[in-house]
Amino acid sequence: DAGVIQSPRHEVTEMGQEVTLRCKPISGHDYLFWYRQTMMRGLELLIYFNNNVPIDDSGMPEDRFSAKMPNASFSTLKIQPSEPRDSAVYFCASRRRTNTGELFFGEGSRLTVL
Amino acid sequence: AQSVTQLGSHVSVSEGALVLLRCNYSSSVPPYLFWYVQYPNQGLQLLLKYTSAATLVKGINGFEAEFKKSETSFHLTKPSAHMSDAAEYFCAVSVSNDMRFGAGTRLTVKP
């Protein structure tokens, strides 16, 4: 079974540009999570979905960030406009219904905003 | 809200020595606890998890952790470190549907 697939793996962009990160969760997983990892703040939960519905977006930094999950096999995290402080590794993870289940992580998207 | 605190952002041990990575949790209800490992340029992988069964949990690569409610701790141990154990380790807690991670501990293994 394929794992969580994220794209792009690396993105370098200039300040003010729109960035779209993509995630394909593991088939059959009900929950999808977006995390951001930086040296200063560690792993931060940005938002998570249950059955394609956003449940908690309290971790989204500001209105420049938005996330969607149009179907069970695809999610996007968009930053518009991007700023240098958005530079980080963004991880997508998914799991089955029970909260005792492990999260399966993608390999991450490393974003650099110049 | 639940949270975890990892004591020590960096731990260095010699190859063959005991590995001890500390994690304390805060939760108003019985938590589920996890340890994950992250190798460079990779996502996180599950090492082991506690879900209210046995308090001593064994994981992959010879790691284990003990849930101690009285101490609100879930420390990770390995009797003998190997060079391949060098990585970043994260403790995590799940009470509701989300999962919150500690700040991480970077383990260095010296030859």
Side-chain angles (χ1 to χ4, degrees):
Chain A
D1 191 14
V4 175
I5 300 172
Q6 291 186 246
S7 65
R9 289 295 312 278
H10 301 275
E11 174 92 5
V12 180
T13 190
E14 294 190 346
M15 183 173 62
Q17 296 299 304
E18 177 179 294
V19 173
T20 299
L21 308 178
R22 298 172 178 79
C23 175
K24 177 179 169 57
I26 293 173
S27 177
H29 282 192
D30 300 303
Y31 285 83
L32 183 140
F33 300 77
W34 282 100
Y35 287 88
R36 177 171 69 175
Q37 186 178 37
T38 61
M39 290 292 292
M40 292 299 295
R41 301 173 70 90
L43 264 169
E44 302 173 275
L45 176 63
L46 300 178
I47 185 172
Y48 75 92
F49 296 82
N50 178 25
N51 291 328
N52 314 337
V53 176
I55 302 301
D56 184 352
D57 65 353
S58 60
M60 296 286 262
E62 48 198 275
D63 292 345
R64 297 185 297 105
F65 285 70
S66 62
K68 294 183 179 179
M69 193 166 185
N71 57 62
S73 59
F74 184 66
S75 177
T76 60
L77 178 67
K78 187 173 293 187
I79 309 172
Q80 166 65 15
S82 59
E83 297 182 3
R85 60 191 168 127
D86 302 329
S87 297
V89 181
Y90 292 81
F91 286 102
C92 176
S94 68
R95 69 165 171 81
R96 296 186 186 280
R97 182 177 309 160
T98 173
N99 68 340
T100 63
E102 68 178 284
L103 285 182
F104 290 82
F105 281 79
E107 294 191 314
S109 294
R110 182 176 295 275
L111 172 66
T112 302
V113 183
L114 304 174
Chain B
Q2 70 273 20
S3 66
V4 289
T5 301
Q6 292 184 241
L7 302 175
S9 58
H10 290 86
V11 170
S12 181
V13 301
S14 297
E15 191 174 17
L18 171 71
V19 175
L20 170 60
L21 305 182
R22 300 177 187 272
C23 172
N24 287 90
Y25 70 89
S26 173
S27 176
S28 57
V29 298
Y32 299 123
L33 295 162
F34 305 78
W35 275 100
Y36 283 81
V37 61
Q38 184 181 30
Y39 298 102
N41 300 314
Q42 294 187 25
L44 281 70
Q45 305 169 35
L46 182 71
L47 272 179
L48 50 81
K49 65 180 180 182
Y50 166 76
T51 57
S52 73
T55 56
L56 182 62
V57 181
K58 294 185 184 300
I60 61 172
N61 301 338
F63 285 93
E64 63 181 39
E66 186 171 8
F67 174 72
K68 292 187 176 181
K69 184 178 179 180
S70 61
E71 299 176 9
T72 62
S73 69
F74 190 58
H75 301 332
L76 181 71
T77 60
K78 182 174 180 177
S80 177
H82 192 273
M83 296 297 291
S84 61
D85 295 326
E88 185 136 20
Y89 292 80
F90 293 89
C91 183
V93 61
S94 178
V95 172
S96 55
N97 289 313
D98 62 11
M99 187 175 289
R100 305 285 172 162
F101 289 84
T105 298
R106 183 168 299 278
L107 177 66
T108 301
V109 182
K110 299 175 292 185

